[in-house]
Amino acid sequence: MLFRSATTAASDNAKYNICMVTHGDGGGFWSVAKAGAERAASDLGVTFKYEETTNDAEKQAQLIQADTTSGCQAIAASAPNPDAIKDAMLAAKAAGIPTVTMNSGSKVFKELGAFTHVGQDEFVAGQGAGLKFKEAGKKHVLCVIQEANNIGLQERCDGAKDTFGNVTNLQLSAGLADLATSQSEIKAALEADSSIDAVFTLNADIAAGAALPAITELGKDVMIGTVDLSGDAVQAIVDGKIAFAIDQQQYAQGYLSVTLLYLALSNGNEVGGGTPVYSGPGFVTADNVDKVLDLVTAGTR
């Protein structure tokens, strides 16, 4: 029996050209997702291209269209604004290109022609946050939305409202692009309504870089829970300043997306059985934060 060497297999795999187009901004979250995707590509020996658009849905659609006609054999895309990329995604499918959605799009991936979605159910994640706040005896949650036109973020707030009840949404004007402004807007919302005793941020940099300093300035006893991990947010959990972070494991999202597309190209597999492949949600609290602290520092969580 003849066996191919690992070197030969890697050389064969280089013929597979996989592309990933996200709404990412190069920040703490997306750099980890990108690292996971690049590690998978390296492990498999495939050719890989990563592109991100800083929440520009029109640009994302254009890049998907360009990738469809320029040699990408499989495409992964995040879908915070699915209507904006729908035509581009369906054109890829029509061209025989296997696609997956990742990070956002768990409820609409089929409509976009993808065979599966890699990520968390955002509504379920929000439900979990609502339960955490309820267990802590809180009365009024402020849900802070850092991006406009991102259905996943709205689903997180909706999930929190489903299990907690009294949730007020705050749409930030600048989000991650201007943390000082975001801090001021959160502070103003807390000053305007003294009944708010919990803040649910949907991004770890907003939690540690805007919500926490706003609450510190006010000197109020306000519980903070967030979505995603960052070095500062995890350290704040260690220090008892942030109660929990929902971990959707974005490194795994990047890694699995590339791996599933490779299997589709090389072996005709469509993993997921028509359902999402869930990477979360999980919860990081004071009880388990030590397990992920070094991994966050290393850039894989």
Side-chain angles (χ1 to χ4, degrees):
M1 182 179 294
L2 297 176
F3 294 93
R4 294 185 302 163
S5 68
T7 301
T8 301
S11 178
D12 289 347
N13 285 348
K15 67 185 178 184
Y16 297 120
N17 186 14
I18 297 174
C19 298
M20 180 176 287
V21 186
T22 78
H23 69 287
D25 55 10
F29 178 90
W30 283 104
S31 62
V32 176
K34 178 183 178 183
E38 291 179 334
R39 178 58 187 265
S42 175
D43 287 349
L44 294 167
V46 301
T47 301
F48 177 67
K49 178 173 67 172
Y50 178 86
E51 301 166 296
E52 59 187 8
T53 61
T54 314
N55 303 310
D56 186 334
E58 182 179 351
K59 181 180 178 181
Q60 190 182 15
Q62 292 169 349
L63 289 173
I64 294 168
Q65 290 169 345
D67 288 343
T68 297
T69 58
S70 65
C72 289
Q73 296 167 290
I75 298 174
S78 60
N81 189 339
D83 289 341
I85 66 169
K86 184 173 183 178
D87 288 346
M89 291 290 284
L90 292 178
K93 181 179 181 180
I97 296 173
T99 63
V100 301
T101 57
M102 53 88 66
N103 177 255
S104 51
S106 63
K107 290 182 171 60
V108 297
F109 71 92
K110 292 182 182 179
E111 299 170 26
L112 302 180
F115 66 81
T116 194
H117 172 82
V118 182
Q120 70 180 2
D121 186 306
E122 305 291 10
F123 188 79
V124 171
Q127 286 179 313
L131 290 173
K132 290 285 187 185
F133 291 124
K134 180 177 285 188
E135 290 167 2
K138 298 304 173 181
K139 304 300 182 185
H140 188 178
V141 173
L142 182 70
C143 190
V144 182
I145 303 173
Q146 78 274 5
E147 297 170 9
N149 303 315
N150 185 329
I151 60 170
L153 301 185
Q154 184 61 55
E155 288 172 355
R156 292 174 187 174
C157 291
D158 291 345
K161 187 172 185 178
D162 180 68
T163 54
F164 185 82
N166 190 16
V167 174
T168 298
N169 291 358
L170 172 65
Q171 176 67 62
L172 299 176
S173 63
L176 288 164
D178 187 344
L179 287 177
T181 296
S182 296
Q183 177 181 332
S184 296
E185 290 173 348
I186 294 169
K187 181 180 177 182
L190 294 172
E191 288 177 318
D193 190 340
S194 61
S195 72
I196 296 172
D197 56 2
V199 173
F200 181 34
T201 63
L202 310 181
N203 174 277
D205 292 333
I206 294 293
L212 182 54
I215 292 166
T216 301
E217 277 189 19
L218 291 171
K220 297 185 69 174
D221 181 17
V222 178
M223 178 179 177
I224 302 175
T226 191
V227 180
D228 300 329
L229 308 179
S230 71
D232 289 341
V234 169
Q235 186 59 52
I237 293 174
V238 173
D239 296 339
K241 297 177 180 179
I242 291 179
F244 66 84
I246 297 174
D247 185 11
Q248 61 176 304
Q249 302 188 112
Q250 70 268 34
Y251 185 90
Q253 289 177 11
Y255 195 99
L256 289 171
S257 295
V258 172
T259 302
L260 296 183
L261 290 173
Y262 165 73
L263 289 171
L265 290 173
S266 65
N267 205 47
N269 297 124
E270 291 192 351
V271 175
T275 63
V277 175
Y278 288 122
S279 62
F283 281 85
V284 176
T285 67
D287 293 333
N288 62 359
V289 67
D290 291 342
K291 296 179 180 178
V292 301
L293 187 59
D294 290 342
L295 297 173
V296 170
T297 303
T300 61
R301 291 292 293 275

